[in-house]
Amino acid sequence: MPHSRRHVTLWTCLALVACTGAGSEGSKTVDSADGELDVPRRKAPPYQVAPVSSSGSITGTVTLPAPAAAPTSGPCAGKAPASSGVVVYLEDIARGRAPDAARPRRYALEADDCTLSPAVSIVAAGGTLNVSNGLRAVHHVAFTYEGMKTPLVSVPFSDPGQLVPSEKVLSVPGLVDVRSDLDPALRARLVVVEHPYAVEATNGKFLLDSVPPGTYTLVAVGATGRAETKVEVRAGAATPVTLQLQ
């Protein structure tokens, strides 16, 4: 009888090992601390630096939507959302002048006082984002590339003063939506680029210069609004554009 029990135990263990191996091989491991759930995809081929012998420019204005009302409930009730800037950029340019050599490779985003700051910013692909927390609350800050159904990264916070660096957040060019699950008012956007054709609009006005002739998708984004249009750039000419964030 003891001999039979040993055989039963042995076969049981072998079966468990086989089943476990078969189940884990096809499953996807998710790091709960890092929250990687999907992979962002490029909308255009990698940018190439090339001489620009003749160029044009894009100039125009961006109209912001009406300011959002202060939330009436939740942790940020009664606090008006911070006013945001606007970033204008070419989404699909493939060749052109080199990026600014002085462009930083490390950026900061802070959750504090019912704001994610800066509300909208230009960051370089391949850089590092330092995400810091100043809130006395447990929450997650999620980063989702445009077109993705699930966040690429979800950073957990529990105490003020925490800082989490991430390179995955800026892995490829694209528009990244940033939100905290603490309150819908905690929202920001990152414009991740690998070219120099992205600027912050000043008082709603912008200028993109040294643009190679061609047809491009011009995008304007704020913390909550977005607009895009096709624009044709001709050598030696300035192309006027008017955008209304929706």
Side-chain angles (χ1 to χ4, degrees):
M1 191 71 177
H3 181 72
S4 299
R5 287 179 179 176
R6 284 198 298 271
H7 276 279
V8 170
T9 303
L10 175 61
W11 283 110
T12 302
C13 291
L14 290 174
L16 286 172
V17 170
C19 291
T20 303
S24 61
E25 185 177 355
S27 64
K28 183 176 180 180
T29 301
V30 176
D31 185 347
S32 60
D34 208 20
E36 184 179 359
L37 302 177
D38 202 350
V39 177
R41 294 169 177 81
R42 287 178 170 269
K43 288 190 173 183
Y47 180 75
Q48 297 180 356
V49 175
V52 181
S53 56
S54 60
S55 65
S57 63
I58 305 171
T59 181
T61 59
V62 182
T63 304
L64 294 172
T72 57
S73 61
C76 296
K79 296 184 178 180
S83 59
S84 65
V86 179
V87 168
V88 182
Y89 65 102
L90 295 179
E91 183 181 67
D92 52 359
I93 187 167
R95 296 165 61 87
R97 62 185 175 87
D100 185 0
R103 173 183 287 174
R105 303 299 298 176
R106 189 173 291 272
Y107 305 89
L109 181 73
E110 183 180 14
D112 194 14
D113 194 27
C114 285
T115 62
L116 284 174
S117 180
V120 60
S121 55
I122 304 169
V123 294
T128 300
L129 183 69
N130 290 332
V131 189
S132 60
N133 180 54
L135 298 171
R136 295 184 178 276
V138 176
H139 67 119
H140 287 73
V141 177
F143 298 81
T144 307
Y145 270 80
E146 187 176 40
M148 291 176 61
K149 296 181 180 179
T150 54
L152 173 67
V153 172
S154 182
V155 181
F157 289 111
S158 57
D159 297 300
Q162 287 178 285
L163 187 148
V164 177
S166 175
E167 295 179 352
K168 291 182 181 179
V169 173
L170 310 183
S171 56
V172 299
L175 178 60
V176 182
D177 189 60
V178 189
R179 301 191 188 209
S180 167
D181 59 5
L182 182 65
D183 193 285
L186 286 157
R187 185 175 179 182
R189 275 177 169 166
L190 305 172
V191 178
V192 187
V193 295
E194 57 187 359
H195 59 68
Y197 301 102
V199 296
E200 294 184 9
T202 303
N203 297 324
K205 298 181 179 180
F206 68 91
L207 169 65
L208 290 170
D209 58 11
S210 301
V211 182
T215 301
Y216 306 100
T217 301
L218 182 71
V219 180
V221 294
T224 57
R226 186 184 192 280
E228 72 171 59
T229 187
K230 287 291 185 180
V231 58
E232 182 181 358
V233 178
R234 298 179 180 179
T239 302
V241 176
T242 300
L243 295 167
Q244 168 74 54
L245 292 192
Q246 302 295 327

